[in-house]
Amino acid sequence: MCGIVGYIGHREAYPIIIKGLQRLEYRGYDSAGIVLFDGENTNLSKTKGKVEDLKRKSKVSISTNGKLGLGHTRWATHGVPNDVNSHPHYSNSGDLVIIHNGIIENYESVKKALVNRGYEFHSDTDTEVLVNLIEEVKNKEGVMLGKAVQIALNQVVGAYAIAVFDKNKPDEIVVAKLGSPLAIGIGDGEYFIASDASPFIEFTNNAVYLEDGEMAIIRLGKEIKLRKIKNDAIAYPNILELQLNLEEIEKGGYDHFMLKEIYEQPRAIKDTYRGRLLADEGIVRMAGIDQNMERFLNANRIIIVACGTSWHAGLVAEYIFEDLARIPVEVEYASEFRYRNPVITENDVLIAISQSGETADTLAAIKMAKEKGAFVFGVCNVVGSSIARETHAGAYTHAGPEIGVASTKAFTTQITVLTLIALKLAKEKGSLSEAEFHGYLTELEGIPAKVEKALESNALIETIATEYKDSTNCLYLGRGYNFPVALEGALKLKEISYIHAEGYPAAEMKHGPIALIDEEMPVVVIATRKGHYEKVVSNIQEIKSRSGRIIAVVTEGDESVKELADHVVEVPETSEPLTPLLTTIPLQLLSYHIALMRGCNVDQPRNLAKSVTVE
Ligand code: F6R
């Protein structure tokens, strides 16, 4: 949940680290810090707040010299966000400097032992404990930094991606990974370290992603030395050539990443189905499914695990799989599933959905299901992420980097992949007629153009937002395929505008939430023509007769809802299973505009982080 960056080479490290931190700020943004090392002296600057605050502070407090540097942007776990708790942290002697993403779970007992042996602590962090443990090991055992890191890590429990250097070894950084991501960029006479490749993409396309339980000694002028933390075994770096480009991780003229990513959806959905959906030939091609077709066809059931928005995509998938492929599906919050001793058999297929591929609870659920013999399939966006590597097979969403903390294109591309899988299985099982199957393929192929059309309502939605920006509550209702969309709409509003919002199946309203409705309550109702239309219209009438304010998302050309609702936003017509891909668009835009009007930080909402690598 934090971002880490490091550099060692022939350039000034300062601008590389600062820019890198800005790109990683989606991972955490309550405090930030940087250390530079010129071979003799270190220069440290840390502050509560964002990288922009660090930039201001470090301009006056730090000399920009130093061709070795480490930087950190934090999402607090142990210790409140303040200057002192920010990383990097020094060891007691001042010789070792560390940055850390993750949690050292047994830090209290380690700290107590270190205090008894005379160590002093200035912060409340688990990280300061780790760097002092490394120092103690180094001094006691008389070993080099790499060995000391290894011994110390074998004494701690938890998750980490760390980078540490020793002032007495100016040409070396030691890194290690367990449970948090860590990439090493390999340049010409220089190395980069980061939580993902975005900080170094303009310098090199060559990167090594550390596996869990690996550490590396990065020494200038030498090749990276990789080894296992547990047993010293040598590991061989698998150097990947990255496809990422700079444009993809910049705002490209939009005011916010979130807006850019909302508008990218037509392109992202196309990229998701490119090469997989061959509508003219009547084929869905997905290697990960083809190679494991028997597992899917013989599955007792599919269990979907995910968190947040990805969980909502899982709910949509439940409707699609059951409806089209006639396979029973259960959708679980990964955080509940992993702790509730679920019944899992070898005939179960588990699908894990995750944009980042790093969500700790989802990863833990996967590991548990694998231990119990289930076949695990991943749907991830980030290539090479932990979940992508941990699963037996998978399909990437190919949405491109999603940097706004609120998920948008991740959601629609996840649904696209899951629809393709459902269609493929339906074809194999014969649960759809040829005509139905072809109909869906053609319809899915046309979705990007319809999303484009749905985006044309932006100006109308902005006007609607002005009326509701000061609301304190908001209700979202939908039925069938649009029930998860209601949940997702509510999540988007609450996470970026801090307005309390609830999503409900429309028919459940009368079992409780209807008591909340008065003239102050905006109710967003998804009332597309396909999908229990008459019943939703009755729900709208119930809201109307209690003076609720209705914002309805309807199918193009709808007249009946217009007469009842205060505002109507149209989306193009499509087949029912694909409606979430369209109805979610106005809800994303509504939350964006309301948040903006309330002066909220749309891309970096308070208390959140893009990738939740702690449980
Ligand atoms: C909401 C949001 C989160 C994530 C959740 C899972 O907009 O972004 O709810 O969906 O943290 O993250 P991933 O998909 O990376 O596993």
Side-chain angles (χ1 to χ4, degrees):
M1 299 280 285
C2 304
I4 64 171
V5 191
Y7 177 78
I8 182 166
H10 47 82
R11 303 173 209 254
E12 289 300 336
Y14 182 79
I16 298 171
I17 304 283
I18 291 289
K19 193 161 220 172
L21 288 177
Q22 280 168 329
R23 292 193 187 146
L24 289 180
E25 223 173 0
Y26 71 88
R27 300 182 60 85
Y29 36 80
D30 58 40
S31 44
I34 180 168
V35 68
L36 298 176
F37 182 41
D38 63 10
E40 278 182 29
N41 299 306
T42 53
N43 235 309
L44 176 76
S45 182
K46 342 199 258 187
T47 186
K48 176 174 189 260
K50 302 203 184 288
V51 178
E52 209 41 52
D53 301 303
L54 175 68
K55 218 166 134 185
R56 263 193 301 275
K57 186 171 178 181
S58 58
K59 261 203 187 116
V60 283
S61 68
I62 209 165
S63 94
T64 57
N65 288 325
K67 296 188 170 149
L68 187 162
L70 300 179
H72 188 271
T73 176
R74 179 165 186 249
W75 185 85
T77 54
H78 293 71
V80 295
N82 61 23
D83 294 5
V84 178
N85 287 336
S86 310
H87 302 209
H89 289 283
Y90 282 118
S91 62
N92 271 195
S93 71
D95 280 353
L96 306 192
V97 191
I98 195 170
I99 48 173
H100 169 214
N101 165 205
I103 293 180
I104 304 301
E105 287 167 12
N106 61 337
Y107 85 104
E108 276 189 83
S109 58
V110 178
K111 185 173 183 175
K112 220 182 245 165
L114 287 169
V115 168
N116 287 340
R117 295 196 288 269
Y119 276 83
E120 284 173 11
F121 291 90
H122 310 284
S123 75
D124 306 318
T125 63
D126 48 345
T127 306
E128 198 188 3
V129 174
L130 180 60
V131 72
N132 281 304
L133 179 66
I134 297 170
E135 175 155 290
E136 188 187 54
V137 170
K138 185 172 172 285
N139 294 341
K140 224 159 90 186
E141 309 277 332
V143 290
M144 308 288 275
L145 178 64
K147 191 72 195 165
V149 167
Q150 185 186 20
I151 296 171
L153 289 178
N154 278 302
Q155 294 175 19
V156 298
V157 179
Y160 47 78
I162 59 163
V164 49
F165 73 84
D166 179 351
K167 276 166 74 175
N168 303 306
K169 279 287 249 163
D171 60 346
E172 181 182 284
I173 300 177
V174 175
V175 297
K177 168 191 157 48
L178 184 70
S180 302
L182 199 147
I184 303 170
I186 304 168
D188 193 5
E190 58 188 346
Y191 288 108
F192 305 81
I193 297 153
S195 301
D196 69 35
S198 61
F200 55 76
I201 197 64
E202 65 260 55
F203 301 106
T204 178
N205 284 327
N206 296 326
V208 172
Y209 286 87
L210 252 57
E211 297 288 340
D212 269 348
E214 282 181 357
M215 60 179 291
I217 296 167
I218 299 168
R219 198 170 293 154
L220 267 189
K222 296 263 163 59
E223 294 203 339
I224 301 171
K225 265 204 273 359
L226 230 62
R227 67 166 79 130
K228 298 280 177 204
I229 298 167
K230 265 228 143 51
N231 56 13
D232 232 5
I234 304 289
Y236 294 94
N238 177 17
I239 302 174
L240 300 177
E241 198 176 323
L242 303 172
Q243 303 299 330
L244 196 67
N245 67 53
L246 200 55
E247 217 172 67
E248 286 181 322
I249 53 171
E250 295 193 328
K251 282 191 202 142
Y254 287 91
D255 290 339
H256 298 94
F257 280 112
M258 181 181 180
L259 192 61
K260 175 185 175 231
E261 286 155 9
I262 290 173
Y263 272 87
E264 272 176 353
Q265 287 175 107
R267 194 267 312 143
I269 293 171
K270 237 183 235 168
D271 285 349
T272 304
Y273 70 53
R274 180 167 295 123
R276 293 169 166 164
L277 170 64
L278 309 172
D280 292 343
E281 297 162 47
I283 295 175
V284 174
R285 193 179 285 153
M286 295 182 94
I289 302 292
D290 281 325
Q291 287 154 11
N292 300 287
M293 188 55 90
E294 289 309 307
R295 299 292 308 235
F296 281 94
L297 295 181
N298 296 329
N300 286 340
R301 57 180 178 160
I302 292 176
I303 306 165
I304 296 180
V305 293
C307 303
T309 291
S310 298
W311 183 74
H312 295 153
L315 288 179
V316 175
E318 177 181 23
Y319 285 79
I320 300 180
F321 275 98
E322 296 204 341
D323 196 1
L324 308 189
R326 307 304 297 150
I327 301 175
V329 176
E330 282 166 34
V331 188
E332 303 258 6
Y333 283 118
S335 53
E336 286 298 313
F337 181 76
R338 62 178 289 198
Y339 282 119
R340 69 166 180 76
N341 194 17
V343 177
I344 306 171
T345 69
E346 285 173 6
N347 288 333
D348 288 326
V349 168
L350 185 124
I351 299 182
I353 310 172
S354 175
Q355 187 285 129
S356 62
E358 301 294 344
T359 301
D361 285 318
T362 310
L363 201 51
I366 291 169
K367 288 183 180 159
M368 182 178 79
K370 273 173 76 180
E371 274 164 26
K372 296 187 183 224
F375 174 73
V376 183
F377 190 90
V379 174
C380 295
N381 187 36
V382 177
V383 176
S385 55
S386 303
I387 292 177
R389 291 199 306 261
E390 191 64 44
T391 42
H392 294 116
Y396 285 116
T397 50
H398 299 307
E402 190 182 67
I403 293 170
V405 165
S407 261
T408 51
K409 63 177 178 171
F411 181 65
T412 44
T413 54
Q414 285 164 348
I415 295 174
T416 305
V417 163
L418 292 157
T419 306
L420 287 170
I421 297 173
L423 285 169
K424 198 165 171 54
L425 297 178
K427 163 111 178 162
E428 201 68 24
K429 285 189 71 181
S431 53
L432 287 177
S433 70
E434 276 295 309
E436 286 169 325
F437 177 73
H438 283 270
Y440 283 125
L441 295 195
T442 311
E443 197 51 42
L444 185 55
E445 195 177 36
I447 284 292
K450 293 187 177 180
V451 172
E452 204 87 66
K453 196 89 204 298
L455 287 165
E456 286 172 12
S457 298
N458 185 40
L460 165 67
I461 294 166
E462 192 174 354
T463 323
I464 298 173
T466 52
E467 252 183 72
Y468 298 99
K469 68 177 184 354
D470 298 319
S471 302
T472 46
N473 290 293
C474 187
L475 207 54
Y476 284 73
L477 303 176
R479 288 186 85 137
Y481 281 99
N482 283 314
F483 159 51
V485 176
L487 294 178
E488 175 59 9
L491 176 62
K492 286 291 86 92
L493 188 70
K494 61 188 148 197
E495 70 181 324
I496 62 167
S497 73
Y498 319 139
I499 294 174
H500 171 248
E502 295 236 33
Y504 255 91
E508 274 292 303
M509 183 181 66
K510 54 186 168 300
H511 298 289
I514 199 164
L516 293 168
I517 293 174
D518 60 15
E519 57 286 352
E520 300 292 317
M521 176 66 102
V523 186
V524 178
V525 189
I526 306 155
T528 45
R529 210 172 287 129
K530 289 190 188 132
H532 318 289
Y533 177 70
E534 274 80 25
K535 295 196 188 303
V536 178
V537 172
S538 303
N539 296 137
I540 292 177
Q541 256 147 355
E542 289 157 11
I543 302 163
K544 182 92 187 151
S545 52
R546 284 155 185 91
S547 309
R549 312 281 307 278
I550 300 158
I551 304 160
V553 177
V554 300
T555 311
E556 244 165 21
D558 185 295
E559 288 303 327
S560 323
V561 177
K562 218 174 252 169
E563 285 173 18
L564 297 168
D566 298 81
H567 313 272
V568 162
V569 182
E570 294 187 346
V571 294
E573 174 130 36
T574 186
S575 53
E576 197 186 340
L578 303 182
T579 48
L581 293 168
L582 303 180
T583 49
T584 199
I585 306 294
L587 307 192
Q588 294 170 346
L589 288 168
L590 184 65
S591 59
Y592 171 78
H593 287 297
I594 290 181
L596 208 60
M597 287 169 193
R598 288 165 71 88
C600 300
N601 188 333
V602 170
D603 282 336
Q604 295 173 349
R606 69 184 178 205
N607 303 339
L608 290 174
K610 184 77 184 153
S611 107
V612 185
T613 54
V614 294
E615 57 169 293

